[in-house]
Amino acid sequence: MYDIPAHYKSILNTKETEHAIVLIKNFFQTALSTELNLTRVTAPLFVQAGIGINDDLNGTEKPVSFSVRDMGGKRMEIVQSLAKWKRLKVTELELDSGFGIYTDMNAIRPDETLDAIHSLYVDQWDWEMAIDEKNRTVFYLHEIVQKIYRCLKRAEFYIYDHYPVIKPQLPEEITLLYADDLQKEFPTLTPHAREEKAAKKYGAVFITGIGGKMQDGTIHDGRAPDYDDWITETGDGHRGLNGDIIVWNNVLKTSFELSSMGIRVSPESLALQLKERKCTERSKFLFHKKLLNNELTQTLGGGIGQSRLCMFLLRKAHIGETQVSIWPEKIVKDCVKTGITLL
């Protein structure tokens, strides 16, 4: 749980905040699309259940679903993210290597534990790019991470230029780390506590290797087995071609995840990951069949939280200050007591 800090006061009032959110979203998506060669596409709010397209996140969350009368009662699911849908779209568009797509993703995650940074409503820039087989390396992944970080730095300066009271705080460079190295350095700490240590020390980090087993047999955090590749060896003693961009949040005094991303599974790594997670029955789904038959373009992609980014850049204490959602009565009361205005 993330607690609301005592003696918090928003730098911007509600009207200024609404204006600043528009500035951030317009600026950042342009910066991201030009940095990574991404074309904007329209995304679905829901997808058909039972064909393996919806994102399973950690593999345990249940999506919101409903039946469609005019389609014989077929079940649809509100998306949890667009990780697999985007790969289908890139394949359909026959994009060349080094080019991709991005979209506004709006999701509902009913199993989320609600606090200062977690909401039922999720909005993010979901992006995906085609890559060559030769670029299925951790080194290429880190190149893309550094490009995204440059966009974050530019967005931070852009807001400072409009609101000089909000001083930049991101370091000049992002530090690239591995989950298993953090585990060796802090073996008695939880993964979240390790992230806090790293984020506080460096200011901004990319933790590589999320979802796969580390040398001690544990995992740093959960990942579904059918989008990110977390099982492939990197060639330098590590495993995992994915990771998270995490910064130090000076308002909440904690680590703060802004993005999850990774090189997507190949047919070989998908088969291995399904087996390791004991869910080989997914191989009968439409998406998984196409992938196992090598019918999908190799891609790299991820998501960047829109409300999270606005919250960080505007130095907000609660994600409800940068998005509209529904909150438990206790959170609403706590926000009233501490002077937080929920949108």
Side-chain angles (χ1 to χ4, degrees), residues 135-241:
N135 287 329
R136 293 193 86 257
T137 69
V138 73
F139 310 106
Y140 187 73
L141 172 66
H142 287 167
E143 283 182 29
I144 301 301
V145 169
Q146 290 164 333
K147 288 185 177 183
I148 293 173
Y149 187 70
R150 288 199 289 269
C151 295
L152 296 175
K153 285 281 292 178
R154 291 202 292 271
E156 186 181 50
F157 171 75
Y158 182 71
I159 287 302
Y160 168 66
D161 202 33
H162 283 77
Y163 304 97
V165 69
I166 303 177
K167 306 293 184 184
Q169 68 180 49
L170 288 172
E172 197 60 33
E173 303 288 340
I174 188 169
T175 300
L176 306 172
L177 303 171
Y178 289 90
D180 52 359
D181 286 343
L182 283 177
Q183 188 277 326
K184 292 173 190 173
E185 186 176 358
F186 305 109
T188 63
L189 297 183
T190 65
H192 178 69
R194 294 171 204 153
E195 289 180 0
E196 287 199 323
K197 287 275 190 183
K200 188 172 184 179
K201 179 178 180 179
Y202 297 108
V205 297
F206 181 75
I207 299 180
T208 311
I210 308 292
K213 287 182 180 177
M214 296 181 287
Q215 289 186 8
D216 69 342
T218 65
I219 61 173
H220 182 81
D221 200 359
R223 278 292 198 280
D226 43 17
Y227 57 99
D228 281 352
D229 187 327
W230 40 255
I231 204 166
T232 295
E233 294 185 3
T234 62
D236 54 1
H238 303 281
R239 283 206 311 170
L241 300 176

Side-chain angles (χ1 to χ4, degrees), residues 67-318:
S67 61
V68 180
R69 184 184 60 188
D70 279 2
M71 296 178 67
K74 281 187 177 179
R75 301 294 297 179
M76 302 296 157
E77 295 176 348
I78 304 293
V79 299
Q80 297 194 112
S81 92
L82 296 169
K84 289 178 276 188
W85 178 87
K86 291 177 298 178
R87 189 166 183 180
L88 291 169
K89 191 67 175 179
V90 169
T91 301
E92 175 191 324
L93 294 174
E94 299 181 339
L95 297 180
D96 291 334
S97 176
F99 294 87
I101 59 173
Y102 80 96
T103 191
D104 288 298
M105 189 282 296
N106 296 288
I108 299 174
R109 296 180 182 173
D111 288 339
E112 196 70 84
T113 300
L114 306 182
D115 56 26
I117 70 170
H118 296 97
S119 171
L120 294 172
Y121 170 64
V122 180
D123 57 341
Q124 65 184 31
W125 291 286
D126 251 329
W127 62 275
E128 200 85 7
M129 62 190 296
I131 65 172
D132 286 330
E133 184 66 26
K134 66 180 181 181
N135 287 329
R136 293 193 86 257
T137 69
V138 73
F139 310 106
Y140 187 73
L141 172 66
H142 287 167
E143 283 182 29
I144 301 301
V145 169
Q146 290 164 333
K147 288 185 177 183
I148 293 173
Y149 187 70
R150 288 199 289 269
C151 295
L152 296 175
K153 285 281 292 178
R154 291 202 292 271
E156 186 181 50
F157 171 75
Y158 182 71
I159 287 302
Y160 168 66
D161 202 33
H162 283 77
Y163 304 97
V165 69
I166 303 177
K167 306 293 184 184
Q169 68 180 49
L170 288 172
E172 197 60 33
E173 303 288 340
I174 188 169
T175 300
L176 306 172
L177 303 171
Y178 289 90
D180 52 359
D181 286 343
L182 283 177
Q183 188 277 326
K184 292 173 190 173
E185 186 176 358
F186 305 109
T188 63
L189 297 183
T190 65
H192 178 69
R194 294 171 204 153
E195 289 180 0
E196 287 199 323
K197 287 275 190 183
K200 188 172 184 179
K201 179 178 180 179
Y202 297 108
V205 297
F206 181 75
I207 299 180
T208 311
I210 308 292
K213 287 182 180 177
M214 296 181 287
Q215 289 186 8
D216 69 342
T218 65
I219 61 173
H220 182 81
D221 200 359
R223 278 292 198 280
D226 43 17
Y227 57 99
D228 281 352
D229 187 327
W230 40 255
I231 204 166
T232 295
E233 294 185 3
T234 62
D236 54 1
H238 303 281
R239 283 206 311 170
L241 300 176
N242 69 345
D244 295 335
I245 294 177
I246 297 170
V247 298
W248 178 251
N249 188 312
N250 206 38
V251 175
L252 296 178
K253 304 299 182 186
T254 188
S255 54
F256 193 71
E257 181 185 321
L258 289 177
S259 177
S260 171
M261 56 182 287
I263 292 173
R264 306 311 195 185
V265 285
S266 64
E268 295 76 20
S269 58
L270 173 62
L272 290 171
Q273 291 181 182
L274 290 178
K275 184 177 180 180
E276 183 162 317
R277 289 291 164 82
K278 297 180 173 57
C279 53
T280 53
E281 72 282 354
R282 293 191 190 181
S283 60
K284 71 178 184 296
F285 294 150
L286 173 66
F287 174 86
H288 301 71
K289 281 182 178 179
K290 285 180 174 290
L291 184 44
L292 291 169
N293 289 335
N294 206 24
E295 297 173 13
L296 299 183
T297 301
Q298 177 61 62
T299 61
L300 184 163
I304 301 166
Q306 294 186 14
S307 295
R308 283 267 185 109
L309 180 60
C310 292
M311 181 184 170
F312 175 75
L313 293 179
L314 301 179
R315 313 300 185 234
K316 299 291 188 178
H318 198 286

Side-chain angles (χ1 to χ4, degrees), residues 29-49:
Q29 67 183 358
T30 300
L32 182 71
S33 65
T34 52
E35 186 73 46
L36 298 185
N37 301 321
L38 307 176
T39 299
R40 190 189 184 284
V41 298
T42 302
L45 176 61
F46 47 85
V47 294
Q48 186 173 327

